[in-house]
């Protein structure tokens, strides 16, 4: 008798330390209650999150596979074996939505190759929430990940994104390591033309949430303290 493969559930998590069910739908709780197999970026924080969502769930019953930059391809290729044996698996993001600015996309690709059903669950995406609140073009946009660290390369990249934004009427979205946020904002205000709009969205969904869109000229005159606060940056030249 052929075994019916399990399902790969893509499980979003909080963007901060607020109570999970303040920002996540009850469907997340129901799925986590049913699953014992998970693919996670950090075992300790994953266990803590699962316990916060479902306190009664047995922690010893959890089977967690770690997916990070140290995971080998051979290891990764075994992570969906439980699905092939009829068990469903949860792909759990460290923050926000799995496979979006997150290493989980390789697992999702593998699931499709293995004809395993993939089910994305509803949850917060800092990228989309920032774009929604920015006032910029939600019908034409590009997510660029991290910009170069090298000063000269970063300046060239910012100018290129500004040019593309103007030519294609696109919002250009990117992220930065939280401790370099202030330097990023400084580089943007120095490099962009004065009337180019910049949206800074940090601490999204948290009590300290801050989202503002102003021109590069206006940002020079009034800067928010963004140090060590998870942030999304968006630029658009009209």
């Amino acid at each position: 008798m052929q075994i019916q493969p399990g399902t790969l559930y893509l499980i979003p998590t909080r963007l901060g330390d607020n109570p999970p069910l303040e920002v996540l739908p009850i469907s997340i709780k129901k799925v986590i209650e049913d699953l014992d197999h998970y693919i996670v970026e950090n075992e300790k924080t994953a266990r803590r999150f699962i316990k916060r969502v479902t306190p009664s769930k047995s922690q010893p019953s959890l089977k967690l596979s770690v997916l990070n930059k140290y995971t080998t391809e051979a290891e990764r290729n075994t992570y969906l074996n439980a699905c092939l044996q009829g068990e469903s698996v949860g792909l759990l993001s460290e923050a926000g939505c799995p496979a979006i600015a997150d290493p989980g996309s390789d697992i999702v690709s593998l699931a499709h190759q293995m004809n395993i059903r993939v089910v994305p669950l509803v949850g917060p995406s800092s990228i989309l929430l920032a774009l929604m609140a920015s006032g910029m073009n939600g019908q034409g946009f590009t997510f660029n990940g991290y910009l170069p660290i090298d000063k000269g390369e970063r300046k060239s990249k910012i100018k290129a994104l500004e040019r593309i934004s103007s030519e294609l009427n696109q919002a250009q979205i990117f992220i930065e390591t939280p401790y370099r946020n202030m330097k990023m904002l400084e580089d943007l205000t120095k490099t962009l033309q004065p009337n180019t709009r910049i949206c800074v969205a940090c601490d999204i969904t948290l009590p300290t949430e801050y989202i503002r869109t102003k021109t590069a000229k206006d940002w020079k005159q009034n800067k928010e303290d963004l140090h060590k606060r998870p942030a999304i940056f968006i630029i658009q030249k009209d």
Side-chain angles (χ1 to χ4, degrees):
M1 182 176 177
Q2 187 174 7
I3 297 174
Q4 180 68 28
T7 297
L8 176 64
Y9 288 96
L10 310 185
I11 304 175
T13 62
R14 305 165 294 173
L15 297 174
D17 199 33
N18 39 354
L21 296 183
E22 280 189 3
V23 292
L24 298 170
I26 197 67
S27 57
I28 298 284
K29 177 179 172 65
K30 292 176 180 176
V31 168
I32 289 177
E33 285 174 345
D34 291 340
L35 296 182
D36 288 325
H37 296 270
Y38 292 89
I39 301 167
V40 305
E41 196 169 348
N42 181 291
E43 182 173 349
K44 184 177 179 180
T45 56
R47 286 185 179 277
R48 187 186 305 131
F49 172 74
I50 292 169
K51 189 173 182 62
R52 287 288 300 274
V53 175
T54 57
S56 62
K57 190 168 185 65
S58 168
Q59 287 284 325
S61 70
L62 298 177
K63 302 172 184 65
L64 274 57
S65 300
V66 176
L67 178 70
N68 57 31
K69 63 182 180 181
Y70 303 109
T71 305
T72 66
E73 184 178 359
E75 289 173 325
R76 189 181 66 217
N77 289 343
T78 68
Y79 283 2
L80 294 177
N81 285 353
C83 281
L84 298 180
Q85 295 164 10
E87 297 277 352
S88 290
V89 173
L91 176 61
L92 191 63
S93 178
E94 187 72 5
C97 294
I100 305 296
D102 174 270
S105 55
D106 287 340
I107 294 295
V108 178
S109 177
L110 184 62
H112 287 296
Q113 294 172 40
M114 300 169 73
N115 292 318
I116 293 169
R117 183 184 176 214
V118 177
V119 175
L121 300 178
V122 174
S125 164
S126 58
I127 298 165
L128 291 181
L129 291 172
L131 181 60
M132 287 165 58
S134 70
M136 298 185 188
N137 190 357
Q139 298 191 65
F141 56 89
T142 299
F143 176 64
N144 299 278
Y146 290 92
L147 301 192
I149 295 176
D150 178 80
K151 187 174 181 180
E153 292 178 5
R154 173 178 288 202
K155 183 177 180 179
S156 296
K157 184 65 174 180
I158 290 171
K159 285 185 172 294
L161 293 179
E162 183 180 44
R163 183 175 62 253
I164 294 169
S165 175
S166 178
E167 291 173 352
L168 302 180
N169 186 30
Q170 275 189 351
Q172 298 293 324
I173 310 169
F174 46 93
I175 53 180
E176 181 54 283
T177 302
Y179 67 85
R180 288 202 294 258
N181 281 339
M182 296 304 294
K183 187 66 173 72
M184 169 61 79
L185 185 55
E186 180 184 352
D187 289 345
L188 291 174
T189 59
K190 287 182 177 179
T191 306
L192 296 170
Q193 295 186 27
N195 64 339
T196 295
R197 288 183 291 159
I198 304 170
C199 175
V200 176
C202 65
D203 294 343
I204 294 175
T205 74
L206 299 178
T208 54
E209 181 178 84
Y210 176 89
I211 304 174
R212 293 289 186 278
T213 296
K214 297 187 284 191
T215 64
K217 178 181 177 181
D218 288 340
W219 274 114
K220 276 186 178 181
Q221 300 168 358
N222 183 16
K223 293 181 181 177
E224 178 76 6
D225 183 7
L226 310 174
H227 187 55
K228 292 188 177 180
R229 300 169 70 181
I232 300 288
F233 295 88
I234 312 176
I235 66 170
Q236 184 165 346
K237 178 170 172 46
D238 298 321

